[in-house]
Amino acid sequence: MKLLRYIAILTLVLASTSFAHAQGPTVETPDPTTESTKPQAVDPDKWQFQLTPYIWIAGIKGRAGIGNLIVDVDAGITDENVDLNFGVMGTFEARKNRLIFLTDLQYSNLGTDRATPGPLFSTAEADFKTFVLDPELGYRVVDNPETGAFVDVLGGIRYWHLKTDLTFNTGLLTTVTASRSKDWVDGVAGIRGRAHLTPRLFLTGKADLGGGGSKFTYQLFGGGGLLVGSRYALIAGWRHLDVNYNKDGFLFDNALSGPIFGLGIKF
């Protein structure tokens, strides 16, 4: 049933994109983390735009806490105790010659009902509403129009808005609930690239790291794609996002990891 829910969410995302395309110009991107498609015969001094709605089926592993209430979380994507209740995810890129502006946005409601609460409670439930926005500027240091291969260097910020809801069920102590929200900003820098295996098949990857608001954060993405015509690309890969935030009685030291599927559209 959980897999069917994920498929339904992806279908809704793709359907909304198709509707938007029917109303006016839309986009294409070969990488759910803002990858470009194989270069077309366009003027490099003109702006090119790309949009990629995607779905990220992420598990979560680490620790979360509010005050002295702390839980250990370990919920993989195949476990029944992790649930993506809602998600909106997409990337947008604007490029002119070697200059790049890109942003990745994801909002998700991710919960697990088998968090480990310690010896004083029987079970625990944890629910995380995450809004993550990654605006970045980049420069294309390697560009091979003949093969479609490129390498970009990137720098920007990662803004987090996180709401944590914890429920500790009756054990030695009676049921306790806690809820709190937190915002922070990390500076990040990274690299991304692409290489074609055939004119239509390509490999792509992105990595970044940083900190500031959090102690440390990093992200890894690797995958491949298939160009469909001159405007569209199907992308699949694996994404891992790790952050360690622990300030003012609010703890979120977790890794979100899982497969990602996207549809790139270029305009």
Side-chain angles (χ1 to χ4, degrees):
M1 294 299 294
K2 181 170 63 178
L3 178 59
L4 292 177
R5 186 181 300 113
Y6 293 144
I7 294 173
I9 294 171
L10 179 58
T11 301
L12 289 173
V13 171
L14 299 185
S16 65
T17 304
S18 298
F19 177 78
H21 177 60
Q23 304 307 306
T26 47
V27 253
E28 190 247 53
T29 296
D31 176 355
T33 57
T34 65
E35 202 47 77
S36 305
T37 55
K38 194 170 183 178
Q40 305 298 311
V42 296
D43 185 347
D45 291 325
K46 290 184 178 181
W47 285 100
Q48 302 170 53
F49 302 98
Q50 303 162 45
L51 176 70
T52 303
Y54 65 88
I55 186 167
W56 182 26
I57 308 172
I60 182 169
K61 183 176 183 179
R63 305 183 79 206
I66 300 172
N68 60 355
L69 299 174
I70 297 175
V71 294
D72 292 317
V73 180
D74 188 358
I77 61 173
T78 59
D79 296 339
E80 291 299 324
N81 62 321
V82 63
D83 191 15
L84 176 63
N85 298 312
F86 181 74
V88 175
M89 306 166 189
T91 63
F92 175 79
E93 177 180 345
R95 182 167 68 89
K96 183 178 181 180
N97 208 329
R98 291 179 179 264
L99 180 65
I100 301 160
F101 170 78
L102 61 90
T103 186
D104 178 80
L105 180 151
Q106 69 101 352
Y107 172 81
S108 63
N109 184 348
L110 184 66
T112 175
D113 59 4
R114 296 182 190 173
T116 305
L120 300 180
F121 300 94
S122 57
T123 60
E125 301 169 14
D127 185 78
F128 307 104
K129 295 180 178 68
T130 63
F131 175 85
V132 184
L133 180 66
D134 280 291
E136 296 176 290
L137 288 174
Y139 186 80
R140 185 148 295 178
V141 294
V142 175
D143 191 9
N144 189 332
E146 296 298 320
T147 64
F150 63 79
V151 177
D152 299 334
V153 293
L154 306 164
I157 64 170
R158 179 171 298 135
Y159 166 74
W160 287 79
H161 175 76
L162 175 66
K163 184 175 186 293
T164 298
D165 296 295
L166 302 178
T167 300
F168 295 78
N169 297 313
T170 300
L172 295 177
L173 299 179
T174 58
T175 297
V176 176
T177 63
S179 179
R180 191 174 173 189
S181 298
K182 201 70 176 179
D183 300 81
W184 70 88
V185 177
D186 292 315
V188 294
I191 190 170
R192 69 172 184 172
R194 191 185 72 193
H196 274 261
L197 301 176
T198 72
R200 291 190 175 274
L201 291 174
F202 59 88
L203 297 176
T204 183
K206 184 178 188 291
D208 64 49
L209 55 83
S214 70
K215 291 183 178 180
F216 184 66
T217 182
Y218 71 92
Q219 177 175 220
L220 300 171
F221 168 79
L226 172 66
L227 298 179
V228 182
S230 60
R231 296 171 59 105
Y232 302 94
L234 301 174
I235 311 101
W238 191 273
R239 183 181 187 182
H240 181 93
L241 175 59
D242 192 290
V243 65
N244 181 359
Y245 183 91
N246 188 3
K247 292 182 180 179
D248 303 321
F250 187 91
L251 170 65
F252 189 75
D253 183 8
N254 280 282
L256 305 175
S257 186
I260 191 169
F261 305 94
L263 172 67
I265 313 153
K266 183 177 182 179
F267 67 101

